[in-house]
Amino acid sequence: MASAFISVLKPNNLMALAEENFSPNFTVKNPIVISTWSHGIAANEGAWVILDNAGKSIDAVEAGVKVTEIDITNRSVGIGGRPDRDGHVTLDACIMDENSRCGAVGCIEGILHPISVARAVMDRTQHVMLVGEGARSFAIREGFETAKTPLKEVKKDWKEWKKEHKDEFKKPTINNENHDTIGMLAMDEFGNISGSCTTSGWAYKLHGRIGDSPIIGAGLFVDNEVGGACATGLGEAIIRIAGSHTVVELMRQGHHPQAACKMAVERIIAKHDDVTGLQCGFLAMNTKGQVGAYSVYNGFNYALRTKDRNAI
Ligand code: GLY
């Protein structure tokens, strides 16, 4: 087992159960890469090709999540993602390196690799975030590959959904079967940490909605002096507490990544009168190679790759 750090919180006994699920101290020698959900196993392999060849963590986290972005069976990341209410597949992504350089795209349509466009915003512009049609024009101008969305089968599902949910705004179901965002954190052999995050967001969202995933500090945050954190789940709740930044700042105060993720989740819970159906979680890594993860409800998992293993 790579880890057993997954929370088993139940809404009627939140704090008591949480205490029982603290991880033991766990340190690995870098390089190391972790990412959200079981789709993280394949993504980690993509990152590992870079890390295992003395590559940089920023290149690894870009290459890693690209594996998920081109998996057309994935309904919550990349071009296979579900559309918004109006039938548009709008994608969000961000990336951050060990020097606190960062880039993001929000609500971008018909581009194969939003994460690489986010990287280009970081590397080739003076900005941090481009959204919508401006992000798409930039991507095309910079030579990024386009893709036709939604996929045929995804469009069929959306049409069915429309028939049944004329005026209703459906809540997302985020669990083991409906994997949300992929967030990834890697530490290379030089000890430098970078992170990436990419998603198609909340299925059947309002057109124009952007979640936590492209927002630096919400879906992802890295400070090379401390560590990194990324988030998955209901973006609106994560944004409200600047989730990933909060986790990193808690680690800066000396908390283990596991404790930091748990405290951030507790803060989200405390800010909501009712957490029914509100699933979100954090994944974190510190400079010692210690990792942690925590979610509001059971069902969140992550994949960890080191020299010896790649497992959930
Ligand atoms: N965490 C993905 C989203 O809310 O869009």
Side-chain angles (χ1 to χ4, degrees), residues 146-158:
T146 56
K148 195 167 156 31
T149 55
L151 300 181
K152 217 163 132 191
E153 56 273 34
V154 174
K155 191 168 180 178
K156 194 166 153 264
D157 289 349
W158 166 69

Side-chain angles (χ1 to χ4, degrees), residues 92 174 180-181 197 199-202 205 209-214 231-236 238:
D92 298 336
I174 298 162
D180 176 67
T181 317
C197 190
T199 190
S200 54
W202 184 335
K205 60 199 172 187
R209 179 263 188 190
I210 286 179
D212 60 307
S213 300
T232 183
L234 191 61
E236 282 74 2
I238 295 160

Side-chain angles (χ1 to χ4, degrees), residues 28-105:
V28 293
K29 193 179 151 7
N30 46 311
I32 173 175
V33 56
I34 54 177
S35 56
T36 54
W37 303 109
S38 50
H39 53 210
I41 291 189
N44 286 355
E45 281 307 323
W48 194 255
V49 174
I50 311 273
L51 294 172
D52 200 31
N53 286 287
K56 293 179 65 174
S57 58
I58 186 66
D59 296 323
V61 297
E62 181 187 353
V65 302
K66 280 173 83 171
V67 172
T68 323
E69 285 183 339
I70 52 161
D71 174 3
I72 57 166
T73 65
N74 194 312
R75 293 287 170 266
S76 61
V77 178
I79 54 162
R82 296 201 188 282
D84 60 24
R85 290 179 71 92
D86 301 345
H88 298 272
V89 180
T90 62
L91 305 176
D92 298 336
C94 74
I95 194 160
M96 190 163 192
D97 77 2
E98 76 268 17
N99 297 312
S100 299
R101 295 169 64 246
C102 49
V105 287

